[in-house]
Amino acid sequence: VVVSCGTPDTVIHYTTNGSEPDQDDPAISSGDSVLVETSLTLKARAYKAGWNPSAVQQADYVVNLLLAVRSIAAGRVHSVAILEDGSVWAWGDNGYGQLGDGTGVEQTLPSDLNGLTDGKTVAAEEYQSALLKTDGTLWMWGAYRGATIAIPADITFTPKQIAGISGIKEMEANFVLLEDGTVWQIAGAHAVPSQIPGLSEVKAIAAGGSFYGSGLVAVKNDGTVWTWNYLSLTQVEGLI
C-alpha cells in the first residue's frame, strides 16, 4: 500500500495495530509503501519540522483468506479456518469463547490464533470450535450447548487439548470417526470422549449441532445409513 502526503519534506509515521501513530512508530517517506499481508487497520500521520502533526488518516484492509484455505467450518455466528501453512484463523461472534482468542470479544475480521499451528481439519458447532492437528491431537474451545442431554455449557475461551482420543479419521461438529470404525462424541472441551454405543464399522459421518444437542448421520461399510440423536440410534430404511 502506497502512503503519500502532499506536503514536501514530511515524514510519515504509521501503525497497523489500531493505535494512534506518533514519532516513536515506524516511519516512511511520502510515496513509500507499507506491506499488508493480513487484514489490518493502517493509521498514518505526517510530521514536518516546525509544523504541527497532521490529522490521522486511517484505512482498513481485508485480505482474502479463501485463496489459501485448507479447511473451513462455520458455527451459528462464527467461522474458523486453517490456511495452507497450518495456521488457524477465526472471526465472528465470541460470546461463548468460540473464537479461542481468550477475549470473548467479537471479531469482524479474521484473526490469527497465535500458538495454534499444524492444523489439519477444523469443525464447528453452534458455539464451539474444534481443531484436528497434523500430529493427531484434538483441540476444542467455546461452549457445548447440549442442554437436552444434560451436558453443562462450560465455556473454554482458549484452545484445550482433548485427552483420551487418538486415531482420528474424520471430524464433524463434536463427533469424530476413528480409524477402527467407531464414532465418539466430545461434548465440550471439559468433557471426556464417549463412544456412541452400538455404532461400529462406520466409513463416513456427517453431523450438526444446535441448542438442543447434536445430530449424527453415519454410513457403515455395508452401505446402511444410521442416525443418532438424543441418545437414540436408528437405521434409515430404504437407503443403501
Side-chain angles (χ1 to χ4, degrees):
V1 175
V2 176
V3 181
S4 61
C5 177
T7 302
D9 303 321
T10 56
V11 176
I12 300 173
H13 291 266
Y14 69 91
T15 63
T16 57
N17 60 4
S19 63
E20 298 296 296
D22 58 34
Q23 289 180 294
D24 293 327
D25 290 310
I28 57 175
S29 299
S30 179
D32 287 347
S33 299
V34 174
L35 181 62
V36 176
E37 295 182 300
T38 62
S39 299
L40 55 80
T41 297
L42 176 63
K43 292 185 177 183
R45 173 182 278 149
Y47 290 82
K48 182 175 180 178
W51 292 41
N52 291 327
S54 72
V56 174
Q57 299 298 312
Q58 173 180 325
D60 296 318
Y61 296 93
V62 177
V63 175
N64 187 359
L65 296 179
L66 296 180
L67 297 177
V69 168
R70 175 183 298 173
S71 176
I72 191 168
R76 183 175 184 179
V77 282
H78 81 285
S79 301
V80 59
I82 300 174
L83 300 192
E84 286 297 341
D85 63 1
S87 61
V88 183
W89 297 68
W91 62 100
D93 184 69
N94 200 17
Y96 292 93
Q98 58 265 53
L99 300 189
D101 60 5
T103 68
V105 177
E106 177 184 8
Q107 300 290 341
T108 57
L109 299 177
S111 177
D112 184 8
L113 298 184
N114 293 327
L116 277 186
T117 58
D118 302 320
K120 180 181 179 181
T121 305
V122 287
E125 204 185 28
E126 189 174 21
Y127 300 114
Q128 183 172 268
S129 302
L131 166 71
L132 177 63
K133 299 182 75 170
T134 56
D135 62 5
T137 58
L138 178 64
W139 299 72
M140 300 183 79
W141 57 95
Y144 176 73
R145 296 296 301 275
T148 60
I149 53 176
I151 302 298
D154 293 330
I155 299 176
T156 303
F157 285 94
T158 56
K160 178 183 178 182
Q161 184 175 349
I162 305 301
I165 197 81
S166 61
I168 298 173
K169 176 183 177 182
E170 187 179 341
M171 179 173 63
E172 289 282 341
N174 65 319
F175 296 92
V176 292
L177 169 63
L178 302 191
E179 295 289 351
D180 64 5
T182 60
V183 181
W184 296 65
Q185 183 183 30
I186 303 94
H190 297 286
V192 176
S194 59
Q195 185 176 349
I196 304 300
L199 192 57
S200 60
E201 299 182 356
V202 174
K203 65 179 180 179
I205 60 173
S210 71
F211 178 82
Y212 300 102
S214 298
L216 170 75
V217 178
V219 180
K220 288 193 171 187
N221 293 330
D222 62 5
T224 57
V225 179
W226 297 73
T227 63
W228 184 91
N229 202 355
Y230 310 124
L231 303 180
S232 175
L233 181 64
T234 307
Q235 183 178 353
V236 181
E237 300 294 339
L239 290 179
I240 189 170

